[in-house]
């Protein structure tokens, strides 16, 4: 691929020195060749086949959504404000049962359009339908993706359990590190409360044998913990550790109901957490102990969960909520810091998904980049000093104008280049008759 | 003014029957003449001088911001994540001291552009600089506004106190119900902890004598309450009631730290509350007891507070946050209901600001209307049944395309008609050098 030059931007590098300056970047689909402040000198400019005048826009690494369920995107806005079990039983499960191949594709396509539009460049998709096709779709869309075939172990016969595990291992063998490293695959038992211990142990064994990382839901609701403890006399985090699931790199979603003991365990086992504040609020699950997690040294990133419980896939919304709610809950404006949250929403997310060479604008890193147009009242007045604050507390996903992943442009001045957005939205709107 | 017809819209009436249907509305600058479902019949269409084909857009009453400080908008993004007293002393006060006439105007203009862009049609502005000019500005902008000259009573000599009160009364006499009723004026002692009892009593007497409503900050932080109780042996809410401030219609901002006793007192005295969830989170003030307030029958509306502590003036953000945080805090997805919140963000806001004939799309009401473009992934799929959910949990302020206040169009397909947005943003950006 030829070289792209972005110039005249305010560059938010997210590098060690936290530098923010006016300048640009030169990259191809392998790596960022150079990052410069001021004007691009002739030796740089001459190499570029594509030149993007960013005219005062803000250039930063893309955001990373570390927990989502793309297949459920068509269920956005169905049956709100219900108790969790009623919502699952009367809204989610009956409607998810209607997702055939065609609808699952439309649902995922819709999620991809929304994620790219709002500046997300990498995501984790935990779902159970046609995940091989979802891996292909991720590859074609140009996005960076972790594919996690969610496995429910309850009630499934030995044959069914084995089929799910085999499917997951096959997925891993076929798609892990596919699309020049843009697609990765994890093993994903759904949750401790939906997978009996022997299934989890078996999953752990397979993960260890094949060197596959794992992803699961953990400690989302208080009820779940209470019921789990009544049944197994231990917190599910301890149980997962015992069963060997944390002997491979693990990322757990939610982590709302964790005591210091479990937090220390996660740290000890080097387990990362995907904090999903909006979904946790909306479903009445609670508020995760973010500061305790980060102070204990647990790698904590951000995720949206599904559009059915959020109801957007906009990581800027997630970032802002994460930056706000802990301050309020603990009545302490210093509970979280803007820059730390911004790092969590991008770089830490990239790291916990295994995309270690993204999330920073530095020579040698891969080019997962977004441009933001600050020419709007809610981002005014603007200055270098106010940039981080605006990114955390004021930017909307709709301010993103351009997106590159691994050097390929996926959105150009608000037009998607790899997906037919109009067709996708049309098909998605047509689908509503199928649900209720 | 001639008649405007909006047709082909999805109409969210916010009327008693909560109707949502495809249709339109015919209005002038006095009132809505008719609301219809389906196509406009010829007898209606023929009357309209201006016809707006809303092509599947959503038409709803504008949102109402019941607590803001327009003059502080230029301080957006300065000095984040600080303890409240440090933030006030090192960031807010020194920078507010730099606000001369020119900067105060730019600050307010910037706020107006942001509010109109994000679908706000009425607001309350509590500030202390050039409030007569701010009343004129509100009138010219076409917005509906409540002007509240914030009065700090601490340390001010008798002469200074009197001057502030005189200025406020003069404001009331000149501007209350000005601009065909679009501008109203309140008496606004800043807060119990910044106004000694005799100043508050005097304010109450003047309010009663002149039949002026009042607005003040109340119970924003825990420290404030503790210190107040130590000094006066009572909660400031009780004290305000004793001092007579609740003998006129009153609206208090924040109401975070209220026990059942104060909540009942507010109900008894018919005091309304402006709930400002985002600012309360960001400053670490806490989370107001929203459900207790509404269940006790206290009229509770929403507000953004200033852009320095939010950091936007986007009422859709405020609405979404209010809908989310109480569910999470109380671990109960039924703690708040989407429709109730939507009503709070518009109709109840209009009511507590004294604009009783707005906030609903009904014949006879005044036309404070907005159009939202749902042609975006985050509002897809769309159906009549999902509309309320999308409005509360997924719409962004940037989805608003058109705004009318009292029948006059203030934004036309995302272009502001009464304000020179480009000039305002330029001037606002120029101003940053003046602050630090």
């Amino acid at each position: 691929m030829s070289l792209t030059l972005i110039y005249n931007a305010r560059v938010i590098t997210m590098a060690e020195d936290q530098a923010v300056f006016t300048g640009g970047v030169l990259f191809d689909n392998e790596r960022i060749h150079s990052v410069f402040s001021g004007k691009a000198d002739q030796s740089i400019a001459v190499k570029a086949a594509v030149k993007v005048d960013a005219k005062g826009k803000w250039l930063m690494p893309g955001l990373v959504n570390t927990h989502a369920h793309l297949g459920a995107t068509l269920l956005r806005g169905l049956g709100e404000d219900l108790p969790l079990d009623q919502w699952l039983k009367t809204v989610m499960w009956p409607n998810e049962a209607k997702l055939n191949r065609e609808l699952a594709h439309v649902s995922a396509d819709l999620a991809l359009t929304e994620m790219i539009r709002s500046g997300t460049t990498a995501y984790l998709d935990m779902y159970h339908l046609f995940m091989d096709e979802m891996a292909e779709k991720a590859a074609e869309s140009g996005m960076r993706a972790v594919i996690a075939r969610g496995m429910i172990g309850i009630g499934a016969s030995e044959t069914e359990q084995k089929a799910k595990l085999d499917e997951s291992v096959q997925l891993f063998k076929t798609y892990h590190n596919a699309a020049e490293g843009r697609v990765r695959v994890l093993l994903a038992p759904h949750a401790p409360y939906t997978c009996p211990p022997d299934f989890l142990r078996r999953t752990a064994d397979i993960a260890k044998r094949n060197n596959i990382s794992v992803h699961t839901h953990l400690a989302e609701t208080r009820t779940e913990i209470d019921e789990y403890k009544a049944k197994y006399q231990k917190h599910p985090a301890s149980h997962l550790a015992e069963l060997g699931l944390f002997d491979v790199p693990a990322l757990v979603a939610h982590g709302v109901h964790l005591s210091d003991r479990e937090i220390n365990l996660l740290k000890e086992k080097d387990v990362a957490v995907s904090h999903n504040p909006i979904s946790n609020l909306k479903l009445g699950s609670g508020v995760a102990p973010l500061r305790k997690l980060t102070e204990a040294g647990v790698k904590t990133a951000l995720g949206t969960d599904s559009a059915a419980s959020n109801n957007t896939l906009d990581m800027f919304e997630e970032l802002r909520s994460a930056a706000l709610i802990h301050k309020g809950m603990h009545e302490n404006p210093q509970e979280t810091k803007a820059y730390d949250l911004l790092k969590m929403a991008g770089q830490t997310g990239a790291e916990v998904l295994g995309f270690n060479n993204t999330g920073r604008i530095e020579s040698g890193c891969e080019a997962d980049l977004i441009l933001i147009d600050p020419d709007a009242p809610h981002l005014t007045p603007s200055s270098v000093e106010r940039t981080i604050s605006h990114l955390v507390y004021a930017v909307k996903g709709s301010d993103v104008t351009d997106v590159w992943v691994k050097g390929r442009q996926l959105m150009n001045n608000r037009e998607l280049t790899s997906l037919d957005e109009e067709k996708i939205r049309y098909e998605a709107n047509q689908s509503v008759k199928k649900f209720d």
Side-chain angles (χ1 to χ4, degrees), chain A residues 30-34 357 362-366:
Chain A
E30 292 294 328
R31 62 190 173 88
I32 294 175
H33 288 239
S34 62
N357 205 26
E362 279 181 331
S363 290
C365 285
E366 296 187 41

Side-chain angles (χ1 to χ4, degrees), chain A residues 311-331:
Chain A
N311 289 353
T312 78
L313 302 175
D314 182 340
M315 283 295 296
F316 280 103
E317 289 279 348
E318 211 65 38
L319 163 60
R320 190 183 188 204
S321 293
L324 290 169
I325 58 171
H326 303 282
K327 294 176 192 291
M329 276 282 295
H330 297 280
E331 296 186 20

Side-chain angles (χ1 to χ4, degrees), chain A residues 74 102-103 106 109-110 113 420-434:
Chain A
L74 289 179
E102 188 203 334
L103 291 172
V106 174
D109 281 338
L110 180 62
T113 65
D420 186 343
E421 184 180 347
E422 206 174 318
K423 178 165 175 279
I424 292 165
R425 279 199 273 108
Y426 173 80
E427 288 173 350
N429 279 324
Q430 286 301 104
S431 80
V432 290
K433 302 163 215 147
K434 311 246 167 87

Side-chain angles (χ1 to χ4, degrees), chain A residues 120-134:
Chain A
T120 293
T121 51
Y123 64 92
L124 178 149
D125 179 17
M126 183 201 228
Y127 217 57
H128 56 283
L129 296 174
F130 317 108
M131 295 308 282
D132 49 345
E133 298 175 24
M134 296 302 142

Side-chain angles (χ1 to χ4, degrees), chain A residues 44 69 92 94 122 130 138 145 150-151 169 173 194 212 238 243 254 275 284 289 294 323 349 358:
Chain A
I44 288 177
H69 308 285
M92 287 305 286
F130 317 108
M151 303 178 288
V169 172
K173 289 186 175 159
T194 58
I212 316 182
S238 313
L243 295 165
H254 304 305
H275 175 35
T294 52
T358 67

Side-chain angles (χ1 to χ4, degrees), chain A residues 124 186-187 189 207 212-216 218 240-241 244-253 266 269-274 298-299 351-353:
Chain A
L124 178 149
L186 300 180
L187 266 187
I212 316 182
S213 302
V214 301
H215 182 55
T216 191
L218 180 67
L240 290 183
L245 221 74
F246 295 161
D247 296 343
V248 292
L251 171 67
V252 298
L266 296 181
K269 293 285 185 176
D270 203 17
V271 175
V273 172
S274 173
V298 176
K299 261 184 208 142
E351 218 174 297
V352 307
L353 294 192

